[in-house]
Amino acid sequence: MEQNAKRHDWTRAEVRALFALPFPELMFRAQTVHRMHFDPRAVQISTLLSIKTGGCPEDCAYCPQSARYETGVTAEKLMSLDTVLAEAQAAKRAGASRFCMGAAWRSPKDRELDQVAAMVEGVKALGLETCATLGMLTAVQAERLKTAGLDYYNHNLDTSPEYYGAIITTRTYQDRLDTLAHVRDAGMRVCCGGIVGMGESAEDRIGMIATLASLPVHPESVPINMLVRVAGTPLAGGEGLDPIDFVRTIAAARIAMPKSVVRLSAGREDMSEETQALCFLAGANSIFYGPKLLTTPNPGRDRDLQMMDRLGLVPMRD
Ligand code: SF4
């Protein structure tokens, strides 16, 4: 199989075989594919702002923003346009090329969507790429965001189809696939990945990567998150994932989706720089930058700059 090829027919067996490779072989394959499409030193930097925090009616078992769990996150109103634009300006000054806006909604109401559309227009006018994650979208809502200039929409599959029901009961896997199809049909780029370390089996990680890589068009951006355990959520007490298994997941994503930007996403705060370095070697080429990821901690900007300097990494220029 040509390593350069973009394929949409990955079988579970093929992805399973990737995960089963001896680690040096897996890393070599991942790096080979990575270098065909990207400068291995370049890391795309995104900033994520929670524009509407907490009080979410959904029951995602990992999420401190669900209204169903006592996590100390209080429900807030949608941020004002001015505040969002000031944050976007600060992110740009700090080196971000993309500004992501997250709202804890099941799906946006039309009035809310109008407000977010104004934010998208304002952030875009600053010269930043725009991304939003607002929950489920209808086809009409996706069109509305596209018209406002939204570049990317984030909607994660979270895990394998088989394990999904253990994590979320208030929306189906198919609901997620439908939103992704609406985003794609509207002509926006897709940011879609998942979370590992949620007590899933190795087979679930395989299933998640196989599902992502079998979408009709690969997501342009694939965030791979390590679960951040937050007290009060149902997943607060589980066992952590072996960091090498995390790196294997990144490498499999890189090989199966050769041209996608793979984001080393949540969970970096508790990850050693050595593990993060292995993730970059495995083909991760994007991070979130800034002290907070929605409501959970993220390494500060200085620490990330030092790490990038230590590893000889540079911000990706789009
Ligand atoms: S992940 Fe999103 S949809 Fe799920 S509970 Fe959290 S904010 Fe709501």
Side-chain angles (χ1 to χ4, degrees):
M1 177 58 55
E2 198 214 322
Q3 303 217 43
N4 198 17
K6 219 173 167 186
R7 297 174 44 205
H8 304 272
D9 57 351
W10 284 90
T11 64
R12 293 268 177 124
E14 287 173 306
V15 177
R16 196 177 299 120
L18 289 178
F19 274 82
L21 285 171
F23 194 68
E25 181 63 28
L26 175 65
M27 294 295 272
F28 178 72
R29 298 248 323 248
Q31 287 192 30
T32 304
V33 169
H34 191 182
R35 283 161 185 264
M36 285 177 185
H37 303 290
F38 295 102
D39 173 352
R41 294 168 309 161
V43 176
Q44 191 275 328
I45 295 174
S46 294
T47 291
L48 175 59
L49 175 70
S50 179
I51 58 171
K52 196 276 163 210
T53 302
C56 183
E58 301 294 279
D59 70 349
C60 310
Y62 51 81
C63 183
Q65 301 203 70
S66 169
R68 297 164 191 246
Y69 315 133
E70 290 290 333
T71 62
V73 172
T74 40
E76 293 172 12
K77 289 200 180 113
L78 181 62
M79 248 180 209
S80 73
L81 177 61
D82 288 350
T83 309
V84 171
L85 294 184
E87 293 275 351
Q89 258 159 343
K92 190 179 179 193
R93 277 197 300 274
S97 61
R98 190 178 310 157
F99 190 70
C100 308
M101 293 165 272
W105 288 321
R106 173 175 165 81
S107 55
K109 298 186 179 67
D110 288 345
R111 190 176 51 83
E112 293 163 341
L113 203 68
D114 288 342
Q115 291 169 281
V116 174
M119 293 172 189
V120 170
E121 284 163 11
V123 172
K124 192 117 175 123
L126 296 173
L128 285 160
E129 283 189 314
T130 51
C131 177
T133 180
L134 315 170
M136 292 186 285
L137 294 183
T138 63
V140 173
Q141 289 179 318
E143 287 288 347
R144 172 85 185 87
L145 288 169
K146 170 67 181 168
T147 304
L150 190 66
D151 297 303
Y152 286 82
Y153 194 78
N154 163 266
H155 201 62
N156 289 332
L157 286 180
D158 283 357
T159 186
S160 67
E162 295 79 12
Y163 194 57
Y164 182 83
I167 302 297
I168 298 137
T169 67
T170 49
R171 67 177 73 167
T172 65
Y173 211 72
Q174 188 58 46
D175 287 334
R176 290 186 184 260
L177 293 169
D178 290 347
T179 290
L180 291 172
H182 296 325
V183 169
R184 194 52 94 187
D185 290 347
M188 286 183 282
R189 282 172 266 175
V190 169
C191 173
C192 180
I195 309 172
V196 297
M198 298 196 294
E200 77 284 346
S201 65
E203 190 61 28
D204 291 315
R205 290 189 285 281
I206 291 163
M208 178 179 84
I209 298 296
T211 307
L212 288 167
S214 305
L215 289 171
V217 180
H218 289 169
E220 282 79 3
S221 174
V222 180
I224 303 290
N225 299 278
M226 178 78 107
L227 175 67
V228 177
R229 288 175 201 288
V230 180
T233 62
L235 297 182
E239 288 212 354
L241 182 70
D242 176 351
I244 294 296
D245 285 333
F246 184 75
V247 177
R248 281 184 185 279
T249 309
I250 297 260
R254 165 52 62 227
I255 295 167
M257 293 168 278
K259 297 185 182 175
S260 302
V261 167
V262 176
R263 180 171 307 126
L264 174 53
S265 213
R268 288 199 303 118
E269 170 75 359
D270 293 329
M271 222 176 262
S272 71
E273 286 194 1
E274 289 75 8
T275 299
Q276 293 185 61
L278 281 176
C279 291
F280 293 124
L281 288 176
N285 57 351
S286 173
I287 56 170
F288 275 125
Y289 201 43
K292 248 187 173 187
L293 272 189
L294 297 176
T295 61
T296 57
N298 198 43
R301 291 194 174 99
D302 290 350
R303 231 173 88 192
D304 276 341
L305 285 178
Q306 278 167 15
M307 177 183 72
M308 287 179 67
D309 204 37
R310 188 179 173 206
L311 299 175
L313 303 175
V314 294
M316 188 186 287
R317 297 281 160 232
D318 298 299

